[in-house]
Amino acid sequence: MTRLWKTTMAALGGVAVIGLAGTGPAAAEDTITVASWGGAYSMSQREAYYKPAAKEINLTILEDEWTGTIPEIRVQVETGEYKWHVIDSEGGTILAACDEGLAHEFDYEQFGGRDGFLPNAALDCGVGTISWATIYAYDGDVYTDPASAPTSVDDFFDVEKFPGKRGLYANGFGHTMQMALIADGVPAAELANYMNDNPQEAIERAFAKLDSIKDHVIYWDSGAMAPQLLADGEVVMTTAWNGRIYNAVVEEGKNFKIVWDGQGIDYDYWMIPAGHPETDLGLKFIEYASRPDVMARQSQYISYGPTTYAAGELINPDIAQHLPTAPQNTGNAYWVDTVWWGDHVEELTERFNVWRSQ
Amino acid sequence: MTADGVPLKIKLRRAERMRKVWALALIAPLFVFLLITFIYPIAELLTLSVQEPAFVETLPETTPMLEEWDGRGYPPDETIASFAREIAQAREDRTLGAVARRMNYDISGYRSLIMKTSKKIAESLSLPDDQMLDAFIDIDRRWEDTAYWAPLKTATPPLTDYYLLWAVDHTRDVDGNIVSVDDNRKIYLEVLWRTVEISIFVTLICFFLGLPISYLLATLPTSKSNLLLILLLLPFWTSLLVRTTAWLVLLQSEGLVNDFGLWVGLWSEPLELIRNRLGVYIAMVHILLPFMALPMFSVMKGINPWHMRAALSLGATPLAAFMKVYLPQCLPGIGAGCLLVFILSLGYYITPALVGGPDDQMLSYFIVSNTNQTLNWGLAAALSVILLAMTLVMFLMYNKLVGVDKLKLG
């Protein structure tokens, strides 16, 4: 990009910031802006972190939303016009931002060391904040007899025993591939090693397994669409993010059932854009949000789990059973290997697109 | 000569010039606005399809050395040593990401390989040049394979046809020959053809549906045609997203259409009306029909009805009169309608994404996915260049056949 382009963008960004500042509270030294995803998720963060932070650590937090793409971070770092102190982001984005020098590298001493975090929840440039899972779910009103309802990942791929359409995520191939491998006989615990040692074999094997349901797939591309497909009877089972299914059950009274088998556990992380002049305020917030008692609050508002062992122990058992990290749910779960996906995302996105449209 | 002694011709020319300057001054704000907000950003983006600045910017010394190397076996020792120094430096400056990403397009795993190597190679920088390759191999066995060195050469030139070739399922081999990519990666030519095919069919369907509608509108008395016109315009004013989502509700397997058909007994199990090509055609034709009907209507409205009556009274059959007298006069409207619908179809994104299946996604879907998801802006720009070129070719063809001056949009 040329300098002129950057300057133009900076100018436009500056105009937008001034425009916003006119309506919001005046910026004080202990005020930060956190970018997150909106909806029920932002609500849970507001209740668990933002409101208490104002009282407990004297830090006022303004909220913003973002769409999770690198360019949004890049434009801030390259122009020095920072909109956000802290960003709630996914692993792949964090790794890419880290490689490109767009994210602050954390010193984990401040958060009690990396050992307190669940596997892969402590990245160089991202501090895990929630754990969520890609599961699959079915409608309990369709399979009314629990004895003949789907119970394992194998059932998702068994169109003879369970005829009907399946919902799959259109935009990301990661969990689809790993689910296929588990259904094809790779134990979840060995998945990461297997994929690291034989990447090409793993890819071929996953596509071969997926061929068996290819003609029975409907794709969803936004989180809300998966429960909608189930509710409309378009599919008999669908992959989904566990919080979305939980919300449909709790708030809309649906009889959806989650199958906790072969689910992939993923995290959202806090990151700080590189070179932010108020990095210390961002760190202050992340340190606060990572305290076990503070982190444990969030699951009261949404069915996503904590990322530290210490916070996990503080969670009410009634809530814990719905979390992706609950011991009774993780019997055959795997943790996402962000580095592996960083290496293969382009190849697999293209391959998956080709496969889908053949 | 006029009163002040200036020849009339010159005065006239002056007055003409003044008028032109005025006209230009009036459109200047619009022109500047378009230039800054539209033309410049588009041009800037399109250049990404042929630019690869990452290497020259990140590895300024190694890049010319790699360009001199023939790409076979290992690069010369001093090139490897320079590469080692510069990736170690780039890691400290945190600028290595763009290079790592580019290399990962050629070989999956190159990203983490180069990041890992850049971290560890810093300790070996004091080694003599001829031991540097061994240092690389010590860090990761993959560097022993010359397949990991060769792509460095093809990635270096700052001007490249890499992305444009990629956008038509081709690439260059080690010798620089253009070859087809393997079947697991072949997708974009098919998508391109699919985009044209969908656009042609949508245009044809719109034409055959729009012709009788606009004829009816143009020949009915105004009071009745106004009512019909509102029926045509009302959906036209409704948001695209709303209408597309409404089709989703109507056409899905437990939707209104299927429920009705099952209830009446027209069919015995739910028809697949959506998430396939049929759904795309239904929704796109519904949305684009006004763009076909309105230009045709406005042209037909201006055709003198006496022409048809004259033809009939001179002995032409109604069909012959319609084909030879009426239709030719409609051509500017038909041309405008077809061009509009076709060009709008080419760039469609939301409708196929919502009501189409995976094999109904058009070119713009892949532009979006490469821009926002895989962040492959080079490829996204190359695909955009192709889409833009197709639109321009259509426009030029139309100009040749019908003439843009005959375009009437109502």
Side-chain angles (χ1 to χ4, degrees), chain B residues 223-404:
Chain B
S223 59
K224 283 184 187 153
S225 74
N226 275 350
L227 189 73
L228 286 180
L229 201 59
I230 286 183
L231 289 182
L232 188 69
L233 284 175
L234 212 58
F236 181 62
W237 290 328
T238 313
S239 138
L240 179 90
L241 191 61
V242 170
R243 280 191 288 166
T244 305
T245 322
W247 280 115
L248 211 62
V249 175
L250 284 175
L251 296 179
Q252 62 185 342
S253 58
E254 293 192 2
L256 282 177
V257 173
N258 262 320
D259 280 356
F260 181 77
L262 291 172
W263 181 61
V264 177
L266 285 173
W267 50 83
S268 57
E269 55 181 278
L271 297 179
E272 291 202 23
L273 301 168
I274 211 158
R275 299 201 179 83
N276 51 28
R277 199 57 64 85
L278 179 68
V280 174
Y281 284 143
I282 293 176
M284 277 182 71
V285 165
H286 176 241
I287 289 159
L288 291 171
L289 191 57
F291 291 95
M292 179 68 84
L294 290 175
M296 288 207 286
F297 162 71
S298 82
V299 170
M300 285 174 173
K301 195 84 185 154
I303 296 175
N304 190 333
W306 287 104
H307 292 178
M308 278 292 274
R309 289 177 210 166
L312 290 171
S313 74
L314 287 171
T317 61
L319 184 68
F322 181 78
M323 296 300 286
K324 292 201 163 155
V325 176
Y326 198 78
L327 210 54
Q329 297 192 63
C330 300
L331 271 184
I334 294 174
C338 289
L339 190 69
L340 258 182
V341 171
F342 187 83
I343 288 178
L344 284 173
S345 307
L346 278 183
Y348 251 56
Y349 167 63
I350 288 186
T351 309
L354 283 175
V355 299
D359 51 354
D360 304 314
Q361 300 309 323
M362 296 163 73
L363 207 53
S364 46
Y365 175 88
F366 293 89
I367 295 177
V368 172
S369 116
N370 279 306
T371 312
N372 287 340
Q373 283 186 292
T374 47
L375 301 179
N376 188 345
W377 289 7
L379 182 57
L383 291 170
S384 310
V385 165
I386 287 176
L387 192 59
L388 191 64
M390 275 196 335
T391 313
L392 288 178
V393 166
M394 279 309 302
F395 190 73
L396 292 177
M397 263 168 56
Y398 175 85
N399 190 22
K400 199 92 185 155
L401 292 175
V402 189
V404 170

Side-chain angles (χ1 to χ4, degrees), chain A residues 171 234 342-343 346-347 350, chain B residues 104 108 111-112 166 253 275:
Chain A
N171 298 332
E234 292 280 291
D343 275 345
E346 285 102 3
E347 177 192 1
E350 200 170 35
Chain B
N104 209 49
S108 290
R111 172 181 286 133
S112 62
W166 192 350
S253 58
R275 299 201 179 83

Side-chain angles (χ1 to χ4, degrees), chain A residues 122-205:
Chain A
L123 300 179
D124 290 349
C125 297
V127 180
T129 168
I130 55 153
S131 56
W132 49 281
T134 301
I135 43 78
Y136 87 86
Y138 62 90
D139 188 345
D141 292 341
V142 173
Y143 298 107
T144 42
D145 176 12
S148 61
T151 52
S152 68
V153 167
D154 299 23
D155 294 339
F156 190 86
F157 288 87
D158 193 340
V159 284
E160 307 223 320
K161 203 164 144 199
F162 299 97
K165 297 274 186 191
R166 272 83 169 130
L168 281 183
Y169 187 32
N171 298 332
F173 179 57
H175 292 292
T176 307
M177 171 175 167
Q178 297 180 83
M179 231 176 117
L181 286 175
I182 293 174
D184 205 42
V186 183
E190 288 164 28
L191 196 60
N193 286 337
Y194 174 66
M195 283 166 48
N196 269 309
D197 295 343
N198 319 284
Q200 289 311 317
E201 184 193 309
I203 292 168
E204 297 304 328
R205 196 168 157 185

Side-chain angles (χ1 to χ4, degrees), chain A residues 66-139:
Chain A
W66 77 309
T67 59
T69 60
I70 295 259
E72 289 175 275
I73 306 172
R74 184 182 290 143
V75 78
Q76 295 184 43
V77 175
E78 289 187 356
T79 60
E81 301 276 342
Y82 291 94
K83 275 202 291 181
W84 306 321
H85 292 73
V86 176
I87 303 171
D88 182 305
S89 174
E90 290 176 339
T93 318
I94 300 255
L95 279 193
C98 208
D99 283 353
E100 300 189 18
L102 301 174
H104 174 80
E105 274 188 69
F106 292 103
D107 172 10
Y108 272 86
E109 293 302 306
Q110 191 174 3
F111 312 116
R114 290 183 187 230
D115 295 343
F117 286 83
L118 295 176
N120 301 338
L123 300 179
D124 290 349
C125 297
V127 180
T129 168
I130 55 153
S131 56
W132 49 281
T134 301
I135 43 78
Y136 87 86
Y138 62 90
D139 188 345

Side-chain angles (χ1 to χ4, degrees), chain B residues 39-354:
Chain B
I39 298 170
Y40 175 70
I42 287 182
E44 177 90 25
L45 190 72
L46 292 185
T47 58
L48 289 179
S49 65
V50 289
Q51 272 184 339
E52 189 71 80
F55 271 80
V56 193
E57 282 172 13
T58 316
L59 313 173
E61 277 167 35
T62 316
T63 303
M65 295 164 100
L66 282 168
E67 279 187 68
E68 273 169 34
W69 170 50
D70 65 358
R72 289 168 194 287
Y74 299 110
D77 289 340
E78 58 270 31
T79 310
I80 296 182
S82 160
F83 182 62
R85 278 193 304 277
E86 291 197 318
I87 59 172
Q89 183 61 43
R91 183 184 172 82
E92 267 179 38
D93 300 343
R94 321 204 60 181
T95 52
L96 195 54
V99 168
R101 179 147 44 98
R102 169 62 186 83
M103 295 314 296
N104 209 49
Y105 295 153
D106 281 330
I107 305 178
S108 290
Y110 215 116
R111 172 181 286 133
S112 62
L113 173 66
I114 203 169
M115 294 316 290
K116 169 182 162 191
T117 309
S118 67
K119 196 174 183 177
K120 295 192 182 161
I121 200 75
E123 300 157 15
S124 316
L125 288 180
S126 53
L127 290 176
D129 287 0
D130 59 344
Q131 289 175 25
M132 205 51 98
L133 179 62
D134 294 330
F136 270 91
I137 296 170
D138 280 344
I139 291 169
D140 196 298
R141 298 286 296 176
R142 280 178 284 180
W143 290 114
E144 203 171 359
D145 185 351
T146 51
Y148 278 85
W149 291 99
L152 282 173
K153 166 144 181 93
T154 47
T156 22
L159 270 181
T160 175
D161 54 7
Y162 181 76
Y163 296 107
L164 285 170
L165 287 174
W166 192 350
V168 289
D169 295 338
H170 282 72
T171 186
R172 283 185 189 272
D173 62 12
V174 193
D175 301 317
N177 301 317
I178 295 172
V179 290
S180 189
V181 296
D182 56 272
D183 287 348
N184 284 334
R185 296 184 61 186
K186 263 189 196 142
I187 183 162
Y188 295 113
L189 273 182
E190 200 200 311
V191 170
L192 196 65
W193 168 237
R194 180 193 299 164
T195 307
V196 174
E197 185 193 314
I198 292 179
S199 304
I200 290 176
F201 275 105
V202 167
T203 311
L204 284 177
I205 301 170
C206 280
F207 173 70
F208 285 111
L209 291 177
L211 190 69
I213 294 175
S214 35
Y215 182 77
L216 187 69
L217 280 171
T219 48
L220 276 180
T222 320
S223 59
K224 283 184 187 153
S225 74
N226 275 350
L227 189 73
L228 286 180
L229 201 59
I230 286 183
L231 289 182
L232 188 69
L233 284 175
L234 212 58
F236 181 62
W237 290 328
T238 313
S239 138
L240 179 90
L241 191 61
V242 170
R243 280 191 288 166
T244 305
T245 322
W247 280 115
L248 211 62
V249 175
L250 284 175
L251 296 179
Q252 62 185 342
S253 58
E254 293 192 2
L256 282 177
V257 173
N258 262 320
D259 280 356
F260 181 77
L262 291 172
W263 181 61
V264 177
L266 285 173
W267 50 83
S268 57
E269 55 181 278
L271 297 179
E272 291 202 23
L273 301 168
I274 211 158
R275 299 201 179 83
N276 51 28
R277 199 57 64 85
L278 179 68
V280 174
Y281 284 143
I282 293 176
M284 277 182 71
V285 165
H286 176 241
I287 289 159
L288 291 171
L289 191 57
F291 291 95
M292 179 68 84
L294 290 175
M296 288 207 286
F297 162 71
S298 82
V299 170
M300 285 174 173
K301 195 84 185 154
I303 296 175
N304 190 333
W306 287 104
H307 292 178
M308 278 292 274
R309 289 177 210 166
L312 290 171
S313 74
L314 287 171
T317 61
L319 184 68
F322 181 78
M323 296 300 286
K324 292 201 163 155
V325 176
Y326 198 78
L327 210 54
Q329 297 192 63
C330 300
L331 271 184
I334 294 174
C338 289
L339 190 69
L340 258 182
V341 171
F342 187 83
I343 288 178
L344 284 173
S345 307
L346 278 183
Y348 251 56
Y349 167 63
I350 288 186
T351 309
L354 283 175

Side-chain angles (χ1 to χ4, degrees), chain A residues 168-170 217-221 225 229 352 355-356, chain B residues 275 358:
Chain A
L168 281 183
Y169 187 32
V217 174
I218 287 179
Y219 294 92
W220 53 273
D221 52 17
M225 203 172 145
L229 285 176
F352 186 53
W355 181 83
R356 287 203 299 149
Chain B
R275 299 201 179 83

